[in-house]
Amino acid sequence: VCTIYSLLERWFNDECYAPSDMLDILLLFSEKEGDFKWGIAHHTYPEDLIEPQSWLDKNITFDFNTPLITFKNIEVLDAWVKQKRTFYKKSEPRRLMLSEQNPNSRDYSKRELEKQAACLVYAWKKMQACSSIEAYIAHSWIDAHFEGGLKTGLRKYPDDKTDPYGVKPAWEVYKSLGTDKEAEICEFAKNIIGIESWEDIYKPVNEE
């Protein structure tokens, strides 16, 4: 219990809500008060919500002390839930899903739409190396004006003057994922990301 309160004191004194501290506190309370089957629903997104090229994120690390978890280092969260100390009753892994995210398109120009689609491919390929992730829920299927200028949808604004509900390249990518068309549809993203092989995007996680 002393450990729990020392964590809480540090948490509130810093006037922030660090998710890593919250998870550690939840694990401690689960151990002291009785465990239950809680899981993690993470909103991944790139470091900069406007910039879709998450592979350029700089304020991340590949260890458990990372200040952010984005598409670029999602393997950190995957590694965290695979630690036996985090398991439900030390025997069953916690459930993990990416419950709201999508890369943004700054505008509807060909280049910006391709960047958005490339980041969606990037996120999917990173997820394929993370066996604990159960779902990717795209937000949103269409662009929405209430998002403050963000265009994270797979289709354009419903009231777009020239192409209402217009299909973005990201829509074509999303439809192909998990199908026999995936490899062909996703190949374009390598050039935008600047890699030759999908293995180039995976990084080892320092779990110390």
Side-chain angles (χ1 to χ4, degrees):
V1 176
C2 291
T3 305
I4 294 173
Y5 286 118
S6 64
L7 276 171
L8 285 170
E9 182 179 8
R10 183 183 69 184
W11 181 25
F12 287 120
N13 284 346
D14 288 344
E15 297 183 353
C16 66
Y17 298 88
S20 57
D21 282 350
M22 292 170 65
L23 288 171
D24 282 338
I25 291 166
L26 184 54
L27 286 172
L28 287 168
F29 271 117
S30 295
E31 182 176 345
K32 298 293 184 181
E33 303 292 338
D35 205 355
F36 60 100
K37 289 190 175 183
W38 57 266
I40 299 173
H42 183 58
H43 296 186
T44 316
Y45 290 104
E47 175 184 341
D48 181 342
L49 289 177
I50 297 173
E51 173 56 63
Q53 298 178 98
S54 191
W55 52 90
L56 301 179
D57 290 347
K58 299 187 182 306
N59 295 313
I60 61 99
T61 58
F62 290 89
D63 57 65
F64 294 150
N65 293 316
T66 182
L68 294 171
I69 290 181
T70 73
F71 292 133
K72 186 173 182 177
N73 67 339
I74 192 64
E75 50 263 67
V76 172
L77 190 54
D78 177 65
W80 190 89
V81 300
K82 288 176 178 174
Q83 299 176 98
K84 193 164 186 179
R85 74 177 186 88
T86 72
F87 287 11
Y88 167 63
K89 294 189 175 180
K90 301 296 189 292
S91 62
E92 181 181 331
R94 304 287 174 184
R95 303 188 69 175
L96 169 61
M97 66 173 61
L98 307 186
S99 57
E100 181 203 299
Q101 61 280 300
N102 246 10
N104 180 54
S105 62
R106 292 177 182 269
D107 52 46
Y108 292 158
S109 66
K110 182 175 183 292
R111 181 59 176 168
E112 292 302 321
L113 291 175
E114 286 178 343
K115 287 180 183 177
Q116 179 195 31
C119 187
L120 181 56
V121 175
Y122 179 76
W124 177 258
K125 295 298 184 181
K126 296 281 277 191
M127 282 176 53
Q128 288 184 317
C130 299
S131 59
S132 66
I133 299 176
E134 298 184 9
Y136 178 109
I137 300 176
H139 177 78
S140 159
W141 79 275
I142 55 171
D143 290 337
H145 291 293
F146 62 79
E147 296 285 3
L150 290 174
K151 301 177 182 67
T152 61
L154 302 173
R155 286 176 174 261
K156 298 178 182 178
Y157 289 126
D159 58 353
D160 185 76
K161 292 182 179 179
T162 59
D163 191 20
Y165 291 105
V167 172
K168 294 182 176 183
W171 173 266
E172 300 298 343
V173 166
Y174 199 73
K175 285 199 304 181
S176 77
L177 300 179
T179 74
D180 56 4
K181 294 183 178 180
E182 178 182 324
E184 176 187 355
I185 296 295
C186 293
E187 184 67 19
F188 80 98
K190 289 180 181 176
N191 185 53
I192 296 175
I193 298 168
I195 58 173
E196 294 184 0
S197 169
W198 293 119
E199 283 69 30
D200 296 339
I201 69 175
Y202 308 129
K203 305 294 182 184
V205 176
N206 180 359
E207 300 185 27
E208 296 182 359

